Amino acid sequence: MKKFCLIGLLVIMLSPCYAQQVIFSSLSDLLAAKGDTVTTLAVEKRSIKDLYMSNGADYRIVSQENSGLSKFIKNRAYAVQMGPDLYVNCKFVRYNHYRFGNWYAKAHKVQGRIFFAAQPYGQRASSSLKSEGTTKLGGAVGDAIAASGLVNARVCYFISPETGRAELVTSDFLCSLLAGTPELLASYQAEVSESAEVVEKYLLQLQHEK
């Protein structure tokens, strides 16, 4: 009898791993941590081939047991929490006049803002990477750069709580966030970069600051 009780206790202890799957319907719900819990979701990383053939964010989230829920997540959900990982639906986010396309981007909630990594759209975002040998296309297509050599490049954006639109995380903006942590600020100033790899490193450290 004790054996079955122990097994039941272990099941209860492990079940929160599934309960941490939460769907948020809007930015306000996400900021307020008000969402609906589900248990059947899976995250799929889109391949480079997918990105070239159909532009958009890096991840798709599906319910393998419920096609209706998959459709809702693709077209109507604003964000999804998968355990410790947060993803925002780029379908609902704009940067200037650019669309990020469909699918989900990895995100972080830091100091009351939502940050996410996506392709560098627009001349300001692409030039911030200072990448050498990058193919530059002319006109509006060149600004979008979705099909250029930067298809693998990522920069960070944050979503304005007031407008719901995305803003580029520049080095100046990140320095302002790090101002209260002198050691992190000095470390970032020694390697100033606006690539998502570098910016996310500091965002994660800020996230864990008390």
Side-chain angles (χ1 to χ4, degrees), residues 9-210:
L9 180 61
L10 288 173
V11 170
I12 293 173
M13 291 174 64
L14 291 173
S15 62
C17 293
Y18 297 95
Q20 290 176 352
Q21 297 183 357
V22 182
I23 298 175
F24 302 96
S25 297
S26 66
L27 175 59
S28 59
D29 284 349
L30 173 58
L31 293 173
K34 294 169 55 179
D36 298 311
T37 300
V38 294
T39 59
T40 62
L41 305 183
V43 179
E44 300 174 355
K45 183 73 160 41
R46 298 181 68 216
S47 67
I48 295 298
K49 181 180 179 181
D50 289 337
L51 292 171
Y52 272 112
M53 294 182 64
S54 176
N55 191 39
D58 291 329
Y59 298 89
R60 60 169 61 91
I61 299 177
V62 298
S63 173
Q64 298 173 336
E65 301 176 11
N66 188 330
S67 60
L69 181 57
S70 291
K71 187 174 181 180
F72 177 87
I73 291 169
K74 178 181 178 181
N75 297 313
R76 297 181 61 187
Y78 186 88
V80 176
Q81 184 85 38
M82 299 285 288
D85 298 321
L86 177 66
Y87 301 86
V88 295
N89 192 344
C90 285
K91 177 178 181 178
F92 300 109
V93 186
R94 303 286 184 271
Y95 171 63
N96 293 334
H97 56 282
Y98 300 106
R99 296 172 179 267
F100 290 98
N102 292 327
W103 314 115
Y104 282 76
K106 190 75 171 288
H108 308 282
K109 186 177 181 180
V110 182
Q111 295 185 355
R113 292 186 178 92
I114 305 300
F115 296 82
F116 67 97
Q119 290 180 355
Y121 285 82
Q123 196 62 35
R124 174 66 184 89
S126 58
S127 63
S128 72
L129 294 176
K130 300 177 182 177
S131 50
E132 298 180 0
T134 299
T135 302
K136 299 291 185 179
L137 303 178
V141 175
D143 284 340
I145 64 137
S148 77
L150 290 177
V151 69
N152 289 317
R154 298 292 179 271
V155 293
C156 280
Y157 303 85
F158 70 91
I159 302 174
S160 168
E162 293 76 25
T163 67
R165 300 183 72 85
E167 300 289 342
L168 180 68
V169 178
T170 63
S171 56
D172 288 342
F173 181 79
L174 184 56
C175 284
S176 70
L177 291 181
L178 298 172
T181 53
E183 291 185 3
L184 288 180
L185 176 59
S187 177
Y188 176 68
Q189 289 175 330
E191 63 169 332
V192 176
S193 169
E194 294 180 0
S195 71
E197 181 180 7
V198 172
V199 172
E200 284 185 310
K201 177 175 68 175
Y202 289 95
L203 289 176
L204 288 172
Q205 292 182 78
L206 273 181
Q207 196 176 43
H208 292 95
E209 284 286 326
K210 294 183 180 179

